[in-house]
Amino acid sequence: MKDSRREHAEAVARRYIGSDQLLKELGSGAEGFVFPTPTSTAVKIFSHKERFDCELAVYQRLFDHDVIEVQGFNIPRLVSFNKPSMVIEMTIVQPPYILDFAQSELDVPREFPDGHMEEWWDRVEQMFDERFAVVQSIYYELQDRFGIYYYDLAPRNINFENRRP
Protein backbone atom coordinates (compact mmCIF):
# COMPACT_ATOMS: atom_id res chain seq x y z
CA MET A 1 0.00 0.00 0.00
CA LYS A 2 1.38 3.44 -0.96
CA ASP A 3 1.57 6.15 1.62
CA SER A 4 -0.30 9.40 1.05
CA ARG A 5 2.91 11.48 0.89
CA ARG A 6 4.20 9.41 -2.03
CA GLU A 7 0.83 9.45 -3.83
CA HIS A 8 0.69 13.24 -3.49
CA ALA A 9 4.29 13.62 -4.71
CA GLU A 10 3.65 11.39 -7.72
CA ALA A 11 0.51 13.35 -8.65
CA VAL A 12 2.43 16.63 -8.49
CA ALA A 13 5.41 15.17 -10.36
CA ARG A 14 3.14 14.04 -13.21
CA ARG A 15 2.28 17.70 -13.86
CA TYR A 16 5.97 18.28 -14.66
CA ILE A 17 6.80 14.95 -16.23
CA GLY A 18 3.61 14.13 -18.09
CA SER A 19 0.98 11.57 -17.21
CA ASP A 20 2.11 9.15 -19.90
CA GLN A 21 5.74 9.07 -18.70
CA LEU A 22 7.08 6.41 -16.37
CA LEU A 23 7.88 7.88 -12.96
CA LYS A 24 11.41 7.05 -11.95
CA GLU A 25 12.42 8.22 -8.51
CA LEU A 26 15.88 9.75 -8.09
CA GLY A 27 15.59 9.90 -4.32
CA SER A 28 13.37 10.31 -1.31
CA GLY A 29 13.63 11.19 2.33
CA ALA A 30 11.99 13.00 5.19
CA GLU A 31 11.65 16.18 3.12
CA GLY A 32 10.02 14.65 0.04
CA PHE A 33 10.60 12.93 -3.28
CA VAL A 34 12.77 13.71 -6.31
CA PHE A 35 11.93 12.70 -9.89
CA PRO A 36 13.74 13.36 -13.19
CA THR A 37 11.87 15.23 -15.91
CA PRO A 38 12.01 14.69 -19.69
CA THR A 39 13.95 17.98 -19.97
CA SER A 40 16.94 16.63 -17.98
CA THR A 41 16.03 18.46 -14.80
CA ALA A 42 14.70 17.10 -11.53
CA VAL A 43 11.68 18.10 -9.49
CA LYS A 44 11.69 17.81 -5.73
CA ILE A 45 8.24 17.66 -4.17
CA PHE A 46 8.31 18.57 -0.50
CA SER A 47 6.17 17.21 2.30
CA HIS A 48 6.78 20.09 4.72
CA LYS A 49 6.48 23.81 3.98
CA GLU A 50 9.27 24.80 6.36
CA ARG A 51 11.79 22.50 4.62
CA PHE A 52 10.60 23.69 1.18
CA ASP A 53 11.06 27.32 2.25
CA CYS A 54 14.58 26.59 3.58
CA GLU A 55 15.76 24.77 0.48
CA LEU A 56 14.22 27.31 -1.88
CA ALA A 57 15.92 30.18 -0.02
CA VAL A 58 19.30 28.44 -0.30
CA TYR A 59 18.88 27.71 -4.02
CA GLN A 60 17.79 31.31 -4.63
CA ARG A 61 20.87 32.60 -2.83
CA LEU A 62 23.14 30.26 -4.79
CA PHE A 63 21.39 31.29 -8.02
CA ASP A 64 21.82 35.00 -7.17
CA HIS A 65 25.56 34.41 -6.68
CA ASP A 66 25.77 32.27 -9.84
CA VAL A 67 27.12 29.31 -7.84
CA ILE A 68 27.15 25.96 -9.62
CA GLU A 69 30.03 24.40 -7.69
CA VAL A 70 31.92 24.70 -4.43
CA GLN A 71 35.46 23.35 -4.23
CA GLY A 72 34.90 21.25 -7.33
CA PHE A 73 31.60 19.78 -6.08
CA ASN A 74 28.67 20.42 -8.43
CA ILE A 75 25.55 22.05 -7.02
CA PRO A 76 22.18 21.85 -8.77
CA ARG A 77 21.00 25.14 -10.25
CA LEU A 78 17.51 26.42 -9.54
CA VAL A 79 15.36 26.22 -12.68
CA SER A 80 11.91 27.04 -11.30
CA PHE A 81 9.69 26.60 -8.28
CA ASN A 82 6.03 26.45 -7.37
CA LYS A 83 5.23 27.61 -3.84
CA PRO A 84 1.61 26.35 -3.64
CA SER A 85 2.70 22.85 -4.74
CA MET A 86 5.99 23.02 -2.78
CA VAL A 87 8.07 22.02 -5.82
CA ILE A 88 11.61 22.99 -6.73
CA GLU A 89 12.89 22.20 -10.21
CA MET A 90 16.66 22.04 -10.51
CA THR A 91 19.38 20.83 -12.83
CA ILE A 92 20.67 17.30 -12.44
CA VAL A 93 24.34 17.16 -11.46
CA GLN A 94 26.96 14.45 -11.72
CA PRO A 95 29.43 13.55 -8.95
CA PRO A 96 31.20 14.98 -7.23
CA TYR A 97 28.20 16.91 -5.94
CA ILE A 98 26.47 18.59 -3.00
CA LEU A 99 22.70 18.10 -2.64
CA ASP A 100 19.80 18.64 -0.27
CA PHE A 101 19.73 22.00 1.45
CA ALA A 102 16.38 21.51 3.22
CA GLN A 103 18.02 21.29 6.66
CA SER A 104 20.06 24.45 6.10
CA GLU A 105 19.73 27.87 7.66
CA LEU A 106 20.56 31.25 6.14
CA ASP A 107 22.66 33.94 7.82
CA VAL A 108 22.12 32.81 11.42
CA PRO A 109 23.16 29.38 12.70
CA ARG A 110 20.67 27.17 14.44
CA GLU A 111 20.87 27.22 18.21
CA PHE A 112 21.90 23.91 19.74
CA PRO A 113 22.47 22.79 23.32
CA ASP A 114 26.02 22.98 24.67
CA GLY A 115 28.23 20.25 23.24
CA HIS A 116 25.88 19.38 20.38
CA MET A 117 28.04 20.82 17.59
CA GLU A 118 31.15 19.04 18.88
CA GLU A 119 29.26 15.73 18.88
CA TRP A 120 27.85 16.50 15.44
CA TRP A 121 31.32 17.21 14.00
CA ASP A 122 32.55 13.95 15.56
CA ARG A 123 29.76 12.03 13.76
CA VAL A 124 30.53 13.82 10.48
CA GLU A 125 34.21 12.95 10.86
CA GLN A 126 33.34 9.28 11.40
CA MET A 127 31.10 9.26 8.31
CA PHE A 128 33.70 10.82 6.00
CA ASP A 129 36.94 9.53 7.57
CA GLU A 130 39.93 10.74 5.49
CA ARG A 131 37.63 13.05 3.51
CA PHE A 132 36.47 14.92 6.61
CA ALA A 133 38.75 17.93 6.04
CA VAL A 134 37.22 18.48 2.58
CA VAL A 135 33.66 18.22 3.97
CA GLN A 136 34.47 20.62 6.79
CA SER A 137 36.02 23.03 4.28
CA ILE A 138 32.85 22.89 2.15
CA TYR A 139 30.73 23.62 5.22
CA TYR A 140 32.79 26.70 6.12
CA GLU A 141 32.95 27.99 2.55
CA LEU A 142 29.14 27.82 2.26
CA GLN A 143 28.87 29.60 5.60
CA ASP A 144 31.54 32.26 5.07
CA ARG A 145 30.89 33.13 1.41
CA PHE A 146 27.11 32.72 1.21
CA GLY A 147 25.72 32.67 4.77
CA ILE A 148 24.49 29.08 4.32
CA TYR A 149 24.66 26.83 7.37
CA TYR A 150 24.52 23.38 5.78
CA TYR A 151 23.57 20.84 8.46
CA ASP A 152 22.85 17.74 6.37
CA LEU A 153 26.46 16.63 5.91
CA ALA A 154 26.09 13.00 4.88
CA PRO A 155 27.61 10.79 2.15
CA ARG A 156 24.27 10.72 0.27
CA ASN A 157 24.41 14.55 0.03
CA ILE A 158 28.14 15.11 -0.46
CA ASN A 159 29.16 12.58 -3.07
CA PHE A 160 32.88 12.32 -3.87
CA GLU A 161 32.63 9.45 -6.39
CA ASN A 162 36.05 9.55 -8.08
CA ARG A 163 37.31 12.75 -6.45
CA ARG A 164 40.39 12.39 -4.28
CA PRO A 165 40.16 13.52 -0.59
Side-chain angles (χ1 to χ4, degrees):
M1 186 166 112
K2 286 187 177 183
D3 71 57
S4 61
R5 282 182 348 117
R6 177 176 294 283
E7 286 178 354
H8 170 76
E10 288 178 358
V12 172
R14 289 205 179 283
R15 286 187 242 151
Y16 286 84
I17 297 166
S19 60
D20 59 335
Q21 299 292 317
L22 176 66
L23 278 180
K24 178 181 151 191
E25 185 179 301
L26 287 176
S28 65
E31 287 90 31
F33 301 87
V34 181
F35 301 96
T37 71
T39 59
S40 298
T41 62
V43 289
K44 185 171 183 179
I45 296 93
F46 287 79
S47 301
H48 307 286
K49 183 178 180 339
E50 180 182 347
R51 301 288 50 121
F52 165 78
D53 290 341
C54 288
E55 187 150 323
L56 178 59
V58 169
Y59 276 121
Q60 286 176 318
R61 177 153 307 166
L62 293 168
F63 184 87
D64 290 345
H65 288 278
D66 202 28
V67 177
I68 58 170
E69 63 87 21
V70 169
Q71 297 188 21
F73 287 77
N74 298 309
I75 296 176
R77 186 151 176 86
L78 179 66
V79 174
S80 68
F81 60 92
N82 182 305
K83 283 188 178 187
S85 296
M86 295 189 304
V87 175
I88 293 175
E89 183 178 7
M90 65 197 88
T91 59
I92 294 175
V93 292
Q94 299 302 312
Y97 59 67
I98 304 169
L99 302 175
D100 201 352
F101 295 97
Q103 297 295 325
S104 300
E105 300 289 340
L106 288 181
D107 302 323
V108 179
R110 208 175 280 165
E111 290 193 29
F112 293 108
D114 288 344
H116 176 83
M117 287 303 290
E118 292 82 6
E119 291 175 17
W120 179 71
W121 278 119
D122 287 345
R123 286 191 309 275
V124 172
E125 185 172 12
Q126 289 174 8
M127 280 189 282
F128 286 98
D129 197 25
E130 76 274 357
R131 294 176 163 172
F132 172 68
V134 174
V135 171
Q136 193 172 41
S137 180
I138 289 168
Y139 174 87
Y140 285 115
E141 182 169 341
L142 287 169
Q143 174 187 305
D144 297 342
R145 286 186 58 207
F146 308 110
I148 298 168
Y149 292 83
Y150 181 53
Y151 294 115
D152 205 356
L153 301 177
R156 71 183 178 280
N157 296 334
I158 300 179
N159 183 307
F160 281 77
E161 188 140 300
N162 296 323
R163 189 177 188 281
R164 304 302 300 158

